[in-house]
Amino acid sequence: MDERVSLTRWSKKHVTQGSNKNSTNMLEWNKRTVDSKSSSWESSETKCTIKVEREEAKLTAWENLQKAKAEAAIQKLVMKLEKKRSFSLDRILNTLRSAQRKAQGMRDAATASQDEHLCRKAKKTSHVTKNGQIRSLSGCFTCHAF
């Protein structure tokens, strides 16, 4: 570790003053350290990228799960509302049918009442024609009444 620190602290003058063998070794060593640093940087960058992608995949999966849950809840609510709607519609239609039956019963009763009333009138008129007398107020003041 000390060699590396001392080598990095040396200026260019010191490198050029050394022998060609030392300078070549130092340049190769510098290249290796730079290459190793860049490769370690790339690998750490790749690791970070993979980590970010994994997190993004987890978030996407969670989001899709939440969407599926929401859609299932909506479908459940729609089915429940449709069932209530059907039940309410049946109840209203039954009430309408009941009202129609009652109205028909009232019509039948009114018709029967009218028939009975007409029958009574017919009996009265037939009774008058049998006796031969027509009852009226004007008849009271004529000579028949005295």
Side-chain angles (χ1 to χ4, degrees):
M1 191 71 160
D2 289 337
E3 284 182 2
R4 290 182 189 164
V5 172
S6 61
L7 284 177
T8 56
R9 289 185 183 169
W10 283 354
S11 67
K12 290 183 181 180
K13 280 184 186 178
H14 290 99
V15 174
T16 55
Q17 288 176 357
S19 67
N20 284 338
K21 186 178 179 184
N22 280 340
S23 64
T24 310
N25 285 339
M26 286 177 52
L27 289 174
E28 285 179 20
W29 181 80
N30 282 337
K31 281 184 181 179
R32 274 188 266 140
T33 51
V34 168
D35 288 343
S36 67
K37 285 181 182 178
S38 67
S39 66
S40 66
W41 170 259
E42 288 172 0
S43 66
S44 67
E45 186 177 293
T46 306
K47 288 179 184 177
C48 287
T49 305
I50 291 171
K51 202 179 230 183
V52 167
E53 287 173 355
R54 193 178 307 133
E55 283 295 318
E56 183 64 31
K58 285 181 183 178
L59 288 173
T60 304
W62 179 82
E63 185 180 21
N64 290 339
L65 180 65
Q66 297 304 313
K67 284 181 183 178
K69 284 181 181 179
E71 287 175 5
I74 288 171
Q75 284 290 6
K76 187 177 178 181
L77 183 63
V78 166
M79 299 265 297
K80 187 177 179 181
L81 289 174
E82 192 63 33
K83 189 176 178 181
K84 280 186 177 182
R85 179 185 171 274
S86 176
F87 178 73
S88 296
L89 189 61
D90 287 343
R91 190 173 63 203
I92 291 169
L93 289 175
N94 286 339
T95 305
L96 180 63
R97 282 189 214 110
S98 174
Q100 287 174 342
R101 281 190 299 246
K102 283 183 181 179
Q104 187 61 40
M106 289 177 176
R107 281 190 200 100
D108 292 343
T111 305
S113 174
Q114 283 179 349
D115 288 344
E116 187 178 311
H117 185 66
L118 290 175
C119 188
R120 281 186 209 160
K121 273 190 175 180
K123 284 182 182 178
K124 282 184 180 179
T125 55
S126 67
H127 179 67
V128 169
T129 55
K130 285 180 185 176
N131 293 340
Q133 288 184 338
I134 299 175
R135 296 183 184 184
S136 66
L137 291 175
S138 63
C140 294
F141 299 108
T142 61
C143 62
H144 298 287
F146 294 108

